[in-house]
Amino acid sequence: PKIFTGEYFFDKDPGFGKAKKITVSPQDALIIQDFNTVTSSLTNGLHKLYTRFKDSSGSWSLTDKRNVEIIKTADTIKIIAVEYFFSGDKGFGKATAKVFETTSADSVFKFKIPYNKIPANADTLFIRAKDSLGNWSITKFALFSIQSFVKNAIDDAIVIDQNKLQVFPNPANNFIHFYCKGMNVNSEIIILNVNGQLVKKCQPSSVESGQINISDLSSGTYILQIGNGQTTQSIKFIKQ
């Protein structure tokens, strides 16, 4: 027999076949499926969610129970600001603040952090959000690195001003670009995870610079390592 249909209810059993329906698709002897529940009639607080299923022969399963908590908030509550810092949390409301002109309960906001406001040797950004009731979110953090570039005023090109391995952008999404003085067509280019395990191996497409597709990597911190047979250089980068 295949699992044919299902039903759910909160707190009080209305009887078999009389609860809210759970559509089962595709029908099979074993299913893993998400479903939505209607909670508008429930009060704030703890409740019990019950589910059961019926097979194609008309037999019902045992009724399963899960504890749930209903938390309702007003739709008028919106995210109004964030604050950020790089080290030494001084407490809520005491970091560098950014206020949003357009507020929303759930949206994406962007703001700029001036380069000259980033402390020397900083590598971690801490950030938290504030809503219109004055509540603060938990504090999240992300690693970053600062690249050293010089803008060429003549041809408007980006020139790397160091004799060591460089990666940009960092953090990156789908591709990283790199520059390594002394690299040649026989150089070995590898990417390691933070545990030192090899996750990707590449061939140089040109001398001293190139591009690597990292879209297949999971989010996290990695190490780009380039060796030309005489020296090996490494640099960390972050895949978002």
Side-chain angles (χ1 to χ4, degrees), residues 105-189:
D106 185 11
S107 186
V108 176
F109 302 99
K110 295 181 179 180
F111 62 90
K112 294 181 179 180
I113 299 176
Y115 179 85
N116 59 5
K117 298 298 183 180
I118 302 176
N121 301 319
D123 62 359
T124 307
L125 172 68
F126 298 87
I127 189 169
R128 53 194 170 221
K130 184 180 181 181
D131 68 20
S132 53
L133 294 181
N135 299 315
W136 287 97
S137 71
I138 61 173
T139 303
K140 305 286 287 186
F141 71 92
L143 300 175
F144 69 92
S145 65
I146 299 175
Q147 307 300 318
S148 298
F149 300 115
V150 175
K151 189 87 170 182
N152 188 324
I154 297 176
D155 58 8
D156 205 35
I158 297 297
V159 180
I160 294 175
D161 192 33
Q162 291 190 7
N163 293 323
K164 62 181 182 179
L165 174 61
Q166 297 284 327
V167 171
F168 55 95
N170 191 5
N173 289 316
N174 296 318
F175 292 91
I176 56 171
H177 301 268
F178 64 88
Y179 172 88
C180 183
K181 187 173 182 179
M183 186 181 75
N184 55 57
V185 294
N186 296 317
S187 295
E188 182 182 55
I189 305 174

Side-chain angles (χ1 to χ4, degrees), residues 199-235:
V199 296
K200 199 176 188 69
K201 190 172 183 179
C202 314
Q203 288 294 327
S205 56
S206 64
V207 177
E208 295 192 345
S209 65
Q211 175 181 281
I212 301 176
N213 186 343
I214 59 170
S215 60
D216 57 331
L217 299 181
S218 302
S219 299
T221 302
Y222 294 89
I223 301 168
L224 174 65
Q225 189 175 94
I226 299 179
N228 61 8
Q230 297 179 338
T231 61
T232 299
Q233 296 193 57
S234 301
I235 188 171

Side-chain angles (χ1 to χ4, degrees), residues 75-82 98-110 129-133:
D75 293 337
T76 55
I77 299 175
K78 296 182 178 180
I79 299 172
I80 61 172
V82 298
K98 292 288 184 178
V99 178
F100 300 127
E101 294 182 2
T102 303
T103 60
S104 175
D106 185 11
S107 186
V108 176
F109 302 99
K110 295 181 179 180
K130 184 180 181 181
D131 68 20
S132 53
L133 294 181

